[in-house]
């Protein structure tokens, strides 16, 4: 039985669509060369994101950067730290201290290490609304007492950091970690108010919308290079009232500026509902809306259920995570497009969990725990971002990306580590076998439907056309670094990670048709055959 592949999972064909008499058979398009090739920016945005968070740089958290907090400071948030500094040393010394922190938290050698030793493709950069511009702090807690002066150069610091990352081949998700009123009740939202007032305050929602459209305008005009996407907020409270309506409003607002900019949304601790909402936006019937990617966070150290399990129990639990994705996807035409990243994860377990095991086993169990997560995220998600790196607090190994790589706990996709000679040789191998693979897949598709529905008229040329484009795009993603399309890269290749969303982009370029499902099946099969020939999947 013929099958199509998506993220290495096998799914059989669904029933064929019958052609309606009012829609006559269409003439095959002439040539896929009429469609644009994937660009370097496409690859940055749609590849698999092997990533890490840059926590605590533009939105302070005391446990990550305790040196930024005056002795005796009450509270653990950005606002607590900056007010304490102002009280101790006035505006301009505080401004200098904050700017020195922004500019030194990630140095050139750190970026080089991320890119070339740790093979990071993308970082998630938490920022606050107060980072984007002083105009967004008026009538907020970050305006009074000279606070807005402290942040007057923050956006320029963001631009410089993003540019340095881009020059090393690393893309950036700008994550609105701290939003007006708070998307959640935690101090990493910028204040210690303990409130999540974003969702019920129209002024807060409008201010955040203005902030995001301002960022989108900056990204659209290439003032900051290498932006992979904009994340609307971080860790929205469970059941955040009106969140989906607000997200929908933002897709329309960003679409008016540049519909190619991906928007990342928090799943609000309900991945299934968030995926279904995103799929309602990511359809071929809404061609002008930006792609929507769902951000989910996976931690195993905060709940009573976590504490009641042994490390081995949790490792087995990890292996079954992201099951919501297994029942979705694989048909953009039918269901819309699904894209999901694990925006935060770590190696942390609660002390009560560790109490179930011996101290002698702890290091190896922690390594296995992190490795299980890293493999599961790569197999099922479109990217993952460890929390965190380059902090100066004594946070322990469980939260340290550098340490976890050092003990080989994080599984780096093999294709990211290849030297360019190997990338070139594998490309040549795939192209040499392309004709054979195409004939095999096209014949298999045709024969399957001939046996399954011999009475049905099909448009198998669509499968063949989709296969050709899918194979081509997979190879272009693979070789973009080799051809110096992505700046600063010295090794490795890339894989289409947000496959559903990339297919959606291509379908919107092509236009719909009665048998466009055959094109999609062909595209998926072409991608899969190319990736197998390139040695990316077994």
């Amino acid at each position: 039985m013929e099958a199509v592949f998506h993220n290495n999972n096998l799914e059989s064909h669904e029933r064929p669509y019958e052609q309606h008499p009012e829609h006559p058979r269409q003439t095959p398009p002439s040539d896929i060369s009429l469609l644009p090739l994937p660009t370097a920016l496409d690859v940055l945005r749609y590849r698999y994101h092997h990533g890490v968070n840059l926590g605590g740089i533009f939105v302070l958290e005391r446990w990550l950067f305790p040196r930024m907090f005056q002795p005796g400071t009450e509270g653990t948030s950005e606002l607590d730290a900056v007010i304490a500094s102002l009280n101790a040393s006035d505006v301009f010394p505080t401004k200098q201290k904050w700017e020195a922190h922004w500019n030194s938290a990630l140095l050139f050698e750190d970026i080089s290490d991320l890119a070339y030793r740790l093979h990071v493709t993308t970082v998630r950069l938490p920022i606050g609304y107060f980072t984007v511009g002083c105009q967004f702090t008026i009538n907020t807690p970050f305006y009074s007492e000279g606070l807005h002066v402290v942040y007057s150069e923050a956006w320029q610091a963001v631009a410089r950091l993003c540019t340095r990352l881009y020059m090393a081949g690393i893309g950036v998700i700008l994550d609105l970690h701290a939003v007006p009123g708070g998307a959640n009740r935690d101090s990493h939202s910028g204040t210690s108010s303990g409130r999540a007032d974003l969702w019920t305050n129209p002024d807060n929602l409008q201010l955040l919308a203005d902030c995001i459209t301002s960022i989108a305008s900056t990204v659209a005009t290439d003032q900051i290079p290498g932006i992979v996407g904009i994340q609307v907020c971080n860790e929205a409270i469970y059941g955040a009232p009106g969140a989906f309506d607000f997200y929908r409003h933002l897709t329309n607002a960003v679409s008016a500026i540049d519909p190619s900019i991906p928007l990342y949304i928090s799943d609000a601790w309900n991945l299934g509902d968030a995926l279904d909402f995103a799929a309602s936006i990511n359809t071929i019937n809404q061609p002008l809306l930006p792609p929507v990617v769902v951000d989910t966070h996976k931690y195993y150290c905060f709940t009573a259920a976590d504490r009641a399990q042994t490390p081995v129990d949790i490792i087995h639990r990890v292996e079954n995570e992201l099951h919501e994705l297994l029942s979705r996807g694989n048909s953009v035409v039918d269901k819309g497009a699904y894209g999901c990243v694990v925006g935060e994860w770590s190696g942390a377990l609660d002390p009560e969990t560790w109490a179930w095991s011996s101290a002698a086993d702890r290091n190896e169990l922690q390594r296995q725990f992190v490795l299980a997560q890293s493999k599961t995220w790569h197999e099922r998600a479109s990217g993952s971002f460890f929390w965190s790196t380059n902090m100066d607090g004594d946070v322990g190994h469980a939260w340290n990306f550098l340490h976890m790589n050092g003990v080989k706990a994080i599984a780096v996709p093999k294709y990211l580590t290849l030297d360019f000679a190997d990338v070139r040789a594998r490309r040549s191998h795939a192209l040499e076998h392309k004709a054979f693979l195409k004939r095999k897949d096209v014949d298999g598709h045709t024969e399957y439907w001939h046996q399954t529905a011999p009475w049905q008229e099909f448009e198998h040329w669509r499968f063949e056309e989709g296969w050709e484009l899918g194979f081509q795009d997979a190879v272009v993603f693979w070789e973009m670094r080799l051809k110096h399309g992505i700046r600063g890269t010295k090794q490795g290749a890339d894989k289409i990670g947000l496959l559903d969303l990339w297919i959606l982009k291509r379908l919107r370029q092509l236009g719909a048709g009665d048998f466009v499902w055959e094109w999609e099946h062909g595209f998926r099969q072409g991608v899969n055959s190319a990736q197998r020939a390139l040695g990316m999947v077994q």
Side-chain angles (χ1 to χ4, degrees):
M1 177 173 167
E2 191 212 0
V4 292
F5 293 80
H6 177 52
N7 288 343
N8 303 337
N9 294 321
L10 196 63
E11 180 177 304
S12 62
H13 277 301
E14 299 177 355
R15 64 173 178 79
Y17 288 69
E18 294 187 5
Q19 187 174 357
H20 298 289
E22 64 267 30
H23 298 302
R25 181 187 178 98
Q26 297 182 6
T27 303
S30 57
D31 194 343
I32 66 165
S33 66
L34 298 176
L35 293 176
L37 288 172
T39 66
L41 185 57
D42 287 331
V43 174
L44 284 174
R45 287 177 172 173
Y46 288 88
R47 66 183 173 180
Y48 179 82
H49 299 303
H50 181 66
V52 67
N53 283 274
L54 302 182
I57 299 178
F58 293 100
V59 181
L60 287 173
E61 298 183 38
R62 190 169 192 160
W63 68 296
L64 295 176
F65 288 98
R67 62 177 168 80
M68 296 297 291
F69 289 75
Q70 292 287 328
T73 300
E74 294 185 7
T76 60
S77 72
E78 172 86 26
L79 186 62
D80 298 321
V82 71
I83 288 178
S85 181
L86 286 171
N87 289 339
S89 59
D90 207 6
V91 173
F92 288 102
T94 297
K95 183 174 187 289
Q96 290 176 334
K97 181 179 180 179
W98 256 242
E99 289 177 358
H101 171 65
W102 300 331
N103 293 324
S104 65
L106 200 70
L107 302 174
F108 282 101
E109 53 265 34
D110 300 320
I111 293 173
S112 179
D113 197 41
L114 291 177
Y116 308 129
R117 185 175 70 86
L118 304 175
H119 310 289
V120 166
T121 66
T122 318
V123 297
R124 182 172 175 262
L125 180 62
I127 61 174
Y129 66 94
F130 44 83
T131 315
V132 183
C134 293
Q135 67 271 31
F136 299 111
T137 65
I138 297 172
N139 296 324
T140 78
F142 282 90
Y143 190 78
S144 60
E145 302 180 38
L147 283 169
H148 62 288
V149 177
V150 175
Y151 298 97
S152 60
E153 303 293 325
W155 190 238
Q156 290 88 329
V158 169
R160 286 193 297 271
L161 178 55
C162 291
T163 300
R164 294 203 303 270
L165 289 160
Y166 171 72
M167 296 303 290
I170 297 175
V172 177
I173 295 174
L174 293 172
D175 160 36
L176 267 297
H177 217 72
V179 299
N184 58 63
R185 300 179 182 91
D186 296 311
S187 61
H188 56 63
S189 283
T191 77
S192 297
S193 71
R195 300 175 63 85
D197 286 340
L198 170 69
W199 307 109
T200 55
N201 186 313
D203 291 337
N204 286 337
L205 290 170
Q206 185 60 56
L207 181 58
L208 178 56
D210 292 344
C211 190
I212 288 173
T213 54
S214 175
I215 296 173
S217 296
T218 300
V219 173
T221 53
D222 295 323
Q223 295 178 51
I224 302 180
I227 301 303
V228 166
I230 303 169
Q231 181 157 346
V232 174
C233 67
N234 173 66
E235 293 186 354
I237 56 170
Y238 182 83
F244 291 157
D245 290 338
F246 180 61
Y247 293 157
R248 192 177 297 277
H249 166 74
L250 285 177
T251 62
N252 287 309
V254 172
S255 177
I257 297 166
D258 183 350
S260 74
I261 301 173
L263 283 182
Y264 284 68
I265 63 170
S266 167
D267 72 346
W269 311 104
N270 187 334
L271 180 56
D273 283 359
L275 286 169
D276 290 340
F277 165 77
S280 75
I281 298 292
N282 299 328
T283 72
I284 57 177
N285 298 320
Q286 301 189 83
L288 296 178
L289 295 181
V292 176
V293 184
V294 176
D295 167 274
T296 190
H297 295 178
K298 294 296 181 182
Y299 289 121
Y300 302 88
C301 55
F302 294 125
T303 69
D306 296 331
R307 292 187 287 273
Q309 291 188 305
T310 71
V312 173
D313 290 336
I314 292 178
I315 289 169
H316 291 320
R317 184 172 139 202
V318 165
E319 292 166 352
N320 295 310
E321 286 283 20
L322 302 182
H323 58 86
E324 298 91 342
L325 289 166
L326 300 180
S327 59
R328 294 171 171 86
N330 288 323
S331 179
V332 174
V333 173
D334 278 344
K335 305 173 185 177
Y338 295 88
C340 175
V341 299
V342 180
E344 292 184 20
W345 64 286
S346 78
L349 293 173
D350 189 272
E352 290 187 29
T353 295
W354 286 121
W356 293 96
S357 63
S358 70
D361 294 334
R362 177 166 178 169
N363 286 344
E364 179 56 24
L365 282 170
Q366 186 172 67
R367 194 188 73 82
Q368 291 178 16
F369 169 55
V370 173
L371 189 61
Q373 289 184 85
S374 134
K375 288 181 175 179
T376 300
W377 311 154
H378 185 251
E379 289 171 1
R380 296 183 180 175
S382 297
S384 66
F385 300 82
F386 191 91
W387 186 279
S388 181
T389 193
N390 285 65
M391 67 286 284
D392 67 8
D394 184 17
V395 302
H397 295 328
W399 301 92
N400 191 314
F401 184 67
L402 302 180
H403 173 80
M404 287 303 170
N405 275 277
V407 298
K408 301 188 184 305
I410 293 178
V412 179
K414 176 68 175 176
Y415 55 83
L416 295 177
T417 70
L418 300 175
D419 61 49
F420 277 166
D422 200 354
V423 172
R424 187 179 293 106
R426 291 180 185 223
R427 175 188 179 276
S428 296
H429 173 82
L431 294 178
E432 287 170 7
H433 289 80
K434 177 183 174 183
F436 168 78
L437 294 170
K438 179 180 178 180
R439 189 73 270 144
K440 176 176 175 289
D441 290 344
V442 171
D443 287 350
H445 172 84
T446 303
E447 180 60 22
Y448 173 81
W449 286 113
H450 176 72
Q451 295 293 330
T452 302
W455 62 89
Q456 176 71 50
E457 182 180 1
F458 293 97
E459 294 180 354
H460 294 320
W461 57 265
R462 291 187 185 273
F463 179 92
E464 188 168 354
E465 183 188 69
W467 191 100
E468 188 75 31
L469 190 61
F471 194 98
Q472 169 201 278
D473 286 358
V475 171
V476 171
F477 270 68
W478 172 268
E479 68 183 5
M480 187 62 74
R481 299 180 187 215
L482 177 66
K483 292 194 169 183
H484 308 294
I486 296 178
R487 296 196 179 197
T489 50
K490 301 177 181 178
Q491 62 185 348
D494 284 299
K495 169 187 176 181
I496 303 174
L498 289 160
L499 181 58
D500 263 23
L501 288 169
W502 182 251
I503 290 172
L504 175 64
K505 182 180 177 77
R506 286 309 207 183
L507 283 170
R508 286 173 172 175
Q509 292 170 339
L510 284 166
D514 288 308
F515 283 86
V516 73
W517 64 271
E518 283 201 83
W519 183 96
E520 182 180 351
H521 286 173
F523 189 97
R524 291 181 185 276
Q525 195 70 34
V527 169
N528 185 265
S529 291
Q531 291 179 345
R532 287 178 181 273
L534 292 164
M536 298 178 101
V537 295
Q538 302 301 317

